[in-house]
Structures are given as structure tokens and as C-alpha cells.
Amino acid sequence: PIAQTYLRVKSLGLSVGMIREIAFALLLLLSLSVDATAISLNRAGITALSDGLVKVTLGLESGRTTGPCPSAGSWRWGSEQVCPEQRISSLEVRYQRQAVFIPYSAFADLGNPSSVAIERGSSGGTYSIKIVGGEAATSYVVVLKFKGGLLLEKVVRHGEFPASAWEKTLYKFNVMQ
């Protein structure tokens, strides 16, 4: 079957190098969508994970700019006075296949993320998305807490001083049901 597929693709007039690039891209895409509750983030692109009830899709992109970083002083988590090497460009959450509203501010200041995980809560319908990022003095752990299809809070704690350096954001949405 592989030889037949190769001959079909070759008949399209693509070079061997182009075929290899397409194959590599397909393998990369297949490796980024995982049915798991935790995954490491080590390159730009789209990463998806699911535990069956909750699905998280996270986009990463390069945070570096060619010139001076205009927002260097605004990074609090994962970078210090410079633009991070990577930043979260999108975060989508689905609960029971329904989209959950996530404001951009819930992830916009998280630089250099290294892992993301889904953690189920002890009471029905509660769950958290945990993102770890940065290194040493810029390290952080953020926990986004949900109940069903609603984001309730974001808690970011410094990796080295979690009890004394943290921020908490509460979300109260008027949802018409």
C-alpha cells in the first residue's frame, strides 16, 4: 500500500523532496493531536488533547520580533523584560463537544509554555486546565478552573515562590440559558 500511495503521489508531478515534506508534515500533524490528559509543548503549532469529556486545543507561535519588543515590559509570566520565545496564540476548550468561552486575557500573558494538562475535579462537571511554563525566575503554573461550560477563575503562581507571588482572576459571565 505504501508503494502504491507513493506512485499515486508521484503521478501528481511532485518531486521526491516535496513528497518527503508532505509526509513529514502529516506525521507532525498526527503527533500533535493526542487523546491524553497531559502533553508537553516544545514547538510552535497547534496542539490538541482530550480526556473524552473535555477537549483543549492550544495554539503556539513565536513571540520573538525582529526589532525591539514593544510589549517586553508587559510579560509577567514566562519571560522577563523581553518578548518570550513562544506564546500562546489561541486556547479553545470544548466541554461535552460545546465550545467554552475563553477570553484572550486568560492566556495572553503566558509566555514560553512547556506543558498543558486536563485535571478533573471532585464534584460533577468541574475540571481544570493546567499550563506550566517559563524557567527558573520566570517559571509559572496557571490553573484555569471550569464548571461545565463556564470558566470560573484563573490562578497563576510563580514557580519558585508560589505562596507569595501569584495572581487570581475571577470570571462572572451572565449566561442566558
Side-chain angles (χ1 to χ4, degrees):
I2 293 173
Q4 291 172 343
T5 303
Y6 173 79
L7 291 174
R8 282 190 206 125
V9 173
K10 185 71 174 154
S11 69
L12 295 174
L14 300 174
S15 70
V16 173
M18 189 82 133
I19 293 170
R20 284 186 186 136
E21 287 181 31
I22 292 170
F24 177 75
L26 288 172
L27 286 172
L28 182 65
L29 284 173
L30 289 173
S31 70
L32 293 178
S33 183
V34 180
D35 192 22
T37 58
I39 190 167
S40 292
L41 305 169
N42 58 7
R43 61 181 165 256
I46 303 293
T47 300
L49 67 151
S50 173
D51 71 354
L53 186 65
V54 178
K55 181 179 180 183
V56 177
T57 305
L58 187 133
L60 282 181
E61 68 182 26
S62 174
R64 297 283 180 181
T65 60
T66 54
C69 178
S71 62
S74 67
W75 287 96
R76 183 64 53 214
W77 307 107
S79 185
E80 194 170 54
Q81 300 302 314
V82 296
C83 281
E85 290 181 22
Q86 288 190 328
R87 65 178 191 84
I88 299 174
S89 58
S90 63
L91 178 62
E92 297 174 11
V93 176
R94 292 191 164 278
Y95 176 74
Q96 295 180 339
R97 296 192 174 110
Q98 298 295 313
V100 177
F101 172 69
I102 309 290
Y104 183 70
S105 60
F107 58 87
D109 61 346
L110 304 175
N112 297 320
S114 58
S115 68
V116 62
I118 299 170
E119 298 177 349
R120 291 277 183 96
S122 56
S123 60
T126 61
Y127 57 98
S128 298
I129 296 171
K130 180 178 177 181
I131 301 170
V132 176
E135 292 182 7
T138 67
S139 63
Y140 64 88
V141 176
V142 62
V143 178
L144 299 168
K145 295 182 182 181
F146 298 82
K147 181 159 186 164
L150 293 175
L151 173 61
L152 301 177
E153 69 179 36
K154 167 189 169 184
V155 178
V156 189
R157 294 189 179 277
H158 191 277
E160 293 184 340
F161 308 105
S164 59
W166 56 275
E167 76 177 41
K168 182 175 185 176
T169 306
L170 299 177
Y171 299 94
K172 298 287 184 184
F173 300 112
N174 185 8
V175 180
M176 311 269 300
Q177 302 252 349

